[in-house]
């Protein structure tokens, strides 16, 4: 991808972002009455709600209280594939619902809104990615789960942040050279840890890219004993300082196992709901971004995850609008299933 292509993509990302942020501004607090009504609708529907840690706390709570699930992107994929419900509702972003559909084509998979996307997915259009792969025909293609079904269909492996490092380590041991896409920060992190021969696609997460060292120093001075938890989609300067680097679930586990009583957390602030539940006695502080009111676009809150509000969930549960159902082209589905099955087999979950 040329620099010009990337900037063009980036401005498109900004348009999406502006739309999602405008949407966020219109959202209202969920009342107890609304919560109870939507809970009954969900239970009556027989659908299973699978939520990511970044969606609103009320949605995570609803998933927990109705026999659904809250987890990282790998665990969501695993849970959806194993659960007997024939109707899944994915509260997350579109690649998560597509993954659930690819792994369970016989199930109906819905989202509160399919407009909830991801800057990494947007930043890796299939045409340009296909050309990138064609320019490196001798490399094993490893893509992050945060991609479209078409990009997955072009890949040898799909990985999430919880297993990317292990998969590349294994491929490197086998002497394979890697083509990695789309997150350049995660790619660089894996490269530095494994020493693998990797060419990297140039894209980033608009949320994690905002974390900055400049204000971290001041925050760490204020909280000298605090541990630093960092998602590997963050810039290298943050990762290098971290006490733990990992997927959302791995960061929650680190908050439990590390001895620190205070943590500075560099990932979407939606994670605080589950993390605080698991370490109620510990203090959690948001890592600094360019700052609310500063130049930060997302301020540690994924605007697309935020689109999964209660109002949209209720609309889904009462109307089941066609445009909320995940659709994956049949040929792509078969092709994308191979690297996804490989991913699950690698974790022993196939
Ligand atoms: P996890 O796999 O860690 O849940 O990450 C998904 C994601 O989109 C992070 O921004
Ligand atoms: Fe994509 Fe970043 Fe949002 Fe995760 S936080 S879904 S990587 S934009």
């Amino acid at each position: 991808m040329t620099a010009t292509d990337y900037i063009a993509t980036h401005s498109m990302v900004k348009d999406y972002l502006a739309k999602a942020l405008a949407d966020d501004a219109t959202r209202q607090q969920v009342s107890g009455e609304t919560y109870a009504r939507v809970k009954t609708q969900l239970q009556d529907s027989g659908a299973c709600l699978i939520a990511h840690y970044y969606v609103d706390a009320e949605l995570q709570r609803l998933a927990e209280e109705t026999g659904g699930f809250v987890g990282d992107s790998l665990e969501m994929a695993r849970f959806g594939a194993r659960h007997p419900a024939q109707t899944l509702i994915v509260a997350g972003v579109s690649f998560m619902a597509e993954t659930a559909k690819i792994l369970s084509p016989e199930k109906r998979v819905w989202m509160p809104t399919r407009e909830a996307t991801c800057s990494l997915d947007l930043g890796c259009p299939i045409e340009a990615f296909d050309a990138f792969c064609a320019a490196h025909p001798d490399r094993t293609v490893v893509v992050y789960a945060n991609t479209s079904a078409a990009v997955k269909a072009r890949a040898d492996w799909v990985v999430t942040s919880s297993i990317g490092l292990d998969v590349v380590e294994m491929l490197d041991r086998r002497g394979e050279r890697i083509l990695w896409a789309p997150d350049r920060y995660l790619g660089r992190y894996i490269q530095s840890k494994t020493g693998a021969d990797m060419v990297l696609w140039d894209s980033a997460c608009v949320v994690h890219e905002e974390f900055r060292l400049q204000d971290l120093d001041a925050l760490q001075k204020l909280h000298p004993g605090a541990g630093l938890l960092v998602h590997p989609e963050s810039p290298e300067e943050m990762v290098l300082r971290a006490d733990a680097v990992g997927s959302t679930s791995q960061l929650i586990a680190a908050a439990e196992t590390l001895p620190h009583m205070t943590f500075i957390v560099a990932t979407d602030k939606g994670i605080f709901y589950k993390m605080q539940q698991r370490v109620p006695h510990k203090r959690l502080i948001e890592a600094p971004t360019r700052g609310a009111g500063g130049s930060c676009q997302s301020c540690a809150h994924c605007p697309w995850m935020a689109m999964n509000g209660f109002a949209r969930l209720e609309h889904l549960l009462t109307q089941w609008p066609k445009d909320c159902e995940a659709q994956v082209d049949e040929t792509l589905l078969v092709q994308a299933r191979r690297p996804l099955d490989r991913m699950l087999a690698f974790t022993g979950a196939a």
Side-chain angles (χ1 to χ4, degrees):
M1 187 186 224
T2 66
T4 321
D5 287 342
Y6 183 67
I7 290 161
T9 310
H10 223 74
S11 77
M12 177 180 78
V13 170
K14 283 186 178 142
D15 289 347
Y16 270 92
L17 206 52
K19 198 169 168 197
L21 288 171
D23 187 86
D24 200 19
T26 63
R27 283 186 319 138
Q28 285 167 357
Q29 199 73 27
V30 178
S31 68
E33 198 185 318
T34 304
Y35 184 90
R37 187 176 64 245
V38 174
K39 185 174 178 182
T40 306
Q41 288 163 349
L42 177 62
Q43 285 168 324
D44 290 349
S45 76
C48 174
L49 179 61
I50 303 174
H52 190 265
Y53 295 119
Y54 294 167
V55 299
D56 290 355
E58 294 99 338
L59 276 176
Q60 296 187 47
R61 192 179 129 212
L62 185 66
E64 287 170 333
E65 289 182 356
T66 54
F69 183 74
V70 183
D72 73 13
S73 55
L74 176 65
E75 294 164 338
M76 289 170 77
R78 275 201 299 238
F79 184 88
R82 285 177 179 167
H83 198 277
Q86 287 304 299
T87 305
L88 305 178
I89 299 176
V90 175
V93 291
S94 51
F95 80 81
M96 294 169 174
E98 277 186 7
T99 297
K101 182 69 187 174
I102 294 164
L103 291 172
S104 308
E106 74 290 356
K107 295 180 188 173
R108 297 193 73 177
V109 181
W110 303 79
M111 293 183 73
T113 171
R114 276 173 61 210
E115 288 201 9
T117 181
C118 165
S119 63
L120 289 167
D121 187 347
L122 292 171
C124 191
I126 182 57
E127 300 76 15
F129 181 64
D130 195 38
F132 187 58
C133 294
H136 300 282
D138 52 337
R139 288 181 178 266
T140 302
V141 177
V142 183
V143 302
Y144 197 29
N146 302 37
T147 45
S148 64
V151 166
K152 289 185 178 78
R154 186 72 173 78
D156 299 304
W157 284 86
V158 174
V159 298
T160 69
S161 56
S162 58
I163 57 158
L165 191 67
D166 296 339
V167 168
V168 170
E169 209 162 53
M170 176 274 294
L171 295 173
D172 182 49
R173 267 201 311 271
R174 288 195 331 205
E176 295 181 36
R177 297 160 74 227
I178 315 290
L179 180 154
W180 167 270
D183 188 291
R184 65 170 174 275
Y185 294 116
L186 180 56
R188 273 187 217 148
Y189 168 67
I190 293 176
Q191 194 171 32
S192 72
K193 285 292 204 189
T194 60
D197 181 340
M198 295 168 78
V199 293
L200 309 180
W201 184 264
D202 187 13
S203 194
C205 160
V206 290
V207 179
H208 291 88
E209 198 178 27
E210 305 271 355
F211 291 113
R212 290 286 179 276
L213 263 196
Q214 59 196 27
D215 298 324
L216 183 64
D217 286 331
L219 196 59
Q220 286 188 319
K221 274 197 192 102
L222 270 179
H223 305 281
L228 177 63
L229 305 176
V230 177
H231 195 282
E233 290 168 11
S234 310
E236 193 178 23
E237 58 189 28
M238 295 293 296
V239 165
L240 286 173
R241 284 268 193 105
D243 293 288
V245 180
S247 75
T248 44
S249 282
Q250 289 167 342
L251 294 182
I252 292 173
E256 288 181 298
T257 52
L258 289 174
H260 311 76
M261 291 308 288
T262 301
F263 286 104
I264 298 172
V265 184
T267 193
D268 183 292
K269 51 189 155 203
I271 202 171
F272 280 61
Y273 170 70
K274 271 314 251 186
M275 200 179 261
Q276 197 72 76
Q277 246 183 24
R278 301 265 286 268
V279 288
H281 54 299
K282 295 191 180 184
R283 180 167 180 203
L284 306 176
I285 303 169
E286 287 172 32
T289 59
R290 276 179 243 171
S295 59
C296 112
Q297 298 269 354
S298 62
C299 302
H301 189 34
C302 178
W304 295 294
M305 290 283 184
M307 292 179 95
N308 292 274
F310 251 67
R312 286 215 166 91
L313 179 61
E314 180 159 32
H315 181 64
L316 170 63
L317 290 167
T318 50
Q319 309 292 321
W320 300 99
K322 201 73 201 116
D323 62 357
C324 287
E325 183 165 11
Q327 309 281 358
V328 181
D329 170 88
E330 262 178 50
T331 312
L332 286 183
L333 190 145
V334 172
Q335 289 168 349
R337 172 112 196 205
R338 282 197 300 256
L340 276 169
D341 278 344
R342 225 170 250 155
M343 171 181 90
L344 293 185
F346 184 83
T347 67

